[in-house]
């Protein structure tokens, strides 16, 4: 009995591995990811800086703004083979409860006509107006009512950037 277990276990293991690789082969073909042009830390800092700069530009368009609280750190999310994007956010405090129709209109007006940017108005699950601003390379911003009173939240993600194959990237950046 012990001998048959030793024979069956490797067969089951190889079958599972083969099954997993078969599933991966069903994905659409994609081009090879770009090699990183700098160290991951340099790429992350650059992506974070660009993304946070746009967060502040968006915050400037929000009416009745009294203060801006930008997150110091964000997180890395995978966005392709050997690629990551920096994800963060900013809270904009307003004088009163934000009028999201006015916020969406002001942000849309500020970003309307900017080349390479797509602007999409929509409603969240509660029917409250929100607006998405994005680029074709994955940079994106969701502007919605914040979770705290008197806030508008800007959730952001950078463009994708290449990282080494062995890069983990966990933690806060």
């Amino acid at each position: 009995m012990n001998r048959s277990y030793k024979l069956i276990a490797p067969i089951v293991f190889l079958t599972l591995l083969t099954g997993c690789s078969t599933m991966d082969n069903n994905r659409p073909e994609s081009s090879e990811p770009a090699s990183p042009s700098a160290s991951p830390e340099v790429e992350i800092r650059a992506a974070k800086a660009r993304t946070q700069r746009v967060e502040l530009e968006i915050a400037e368009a929000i009416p009745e703004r009294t203060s801006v609280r930008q997150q110091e750190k964000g997180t890395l999310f995978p966005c392709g083979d050997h690629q990551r994007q920096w994800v963060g956010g900013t809270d904009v405090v307003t004088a009163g409860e934000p009028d999201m129709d006015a916020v969406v209109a002001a942000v849309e007006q500020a970003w309307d006509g900017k080349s390479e940017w797509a602007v999409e108005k929509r409603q969240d699950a509660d029917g409250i107006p929100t607006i998405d601003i994005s680029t074709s390379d994955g940079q994106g911003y969701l502007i919605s009512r914040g979770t705290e009173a008197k806030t508008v939240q800007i959730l952001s993600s950078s463009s994708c950037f290449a990282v080494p194959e062995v890069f983990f990237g966990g933690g806060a950046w």
Side-chain angles (χ1 to χ4, degrees):
M1 176 101 162
N2 192 15
R3 183 171 186 241
S4 62
Y5 175 77
K6 288 180 181 179
L7 181 62
I8 293 174
I11 293 172
V12 170
F13 179 72
L14 286 175
T15 303
L16 289 173
L17 283 178
T18 304
C20 291
S21 67
T22 303
M23 289 172 49
D24 285 344
N25 290 335
N26 291 332
R27 286 192 224 158
E29 298 255 348
S30 63
S31 60
E32 276 296 308
S35 297
S37 58
S39 73
E41 292 77 14
V42 170
E43 293 282 350
I44 293 165
R45 281 194 302 271
K48 177 182 177 178
R50 284 188 303 270
T51 305
Q52 287 185 316
R53 190 171 36 255
V54 174
E55 287 175 359
L56 294 177
E57 287 180 44
I58 294 169
E60 287 294 317
I62 296 176
E64 298 187 31
R65 166 186 76 262
T66 60
S67 66
V68 176
R69 299 184 312 229
Q70 194 169 48
Q71 293 176 2
E72 287 184 36
K73 296 190 176 199
T75 307
L76 297 180
F77 279 86
C79 56
D81 289 339
H82 314 299
Q83 293 187 325
R84 301 289 187 278
Q85 62 186 158
W86 183 85
V87 176
T90 293
D91 286 330
V92 179
V93 180
T94 56
E97 283 301 314
D99 175 354
M100 289 307 295
D101 286 315
V103 168
V104 166
V107 171
E108 180 181 34
Q109 181 179 6
W111 288 83
D112 190 37
K114 286 191 177 193
S115 64
E116 300 181 23
W117 291 94
V119 177
E120 180 185 346
K121 297 186 300 184
R122 58 187 178 89
Q123 294 183 343
D124 68 11
D126 294 325
I128 299 170
T130 65
I131 189 166
D132 291 307
I133 302 171
S134 61
T135 62
S136 62
D137 66 355
Q139 191 175 10
Y141 303 85
L142 168 64
I143 299 90
S144 62
R145 178 175 283 167
T147 56
E148 298 176 18
K150 300 181 182 182
T151 62
V152 174
Q153 187 174 50
I154 303 169
L155 299 176
S156 62
S157 61
S158 74
S159 301
C160 293
F161 53 89
V163 294
E165 185 174 344
V166 296
F167 180 73
F168 172 64
W173 293 88

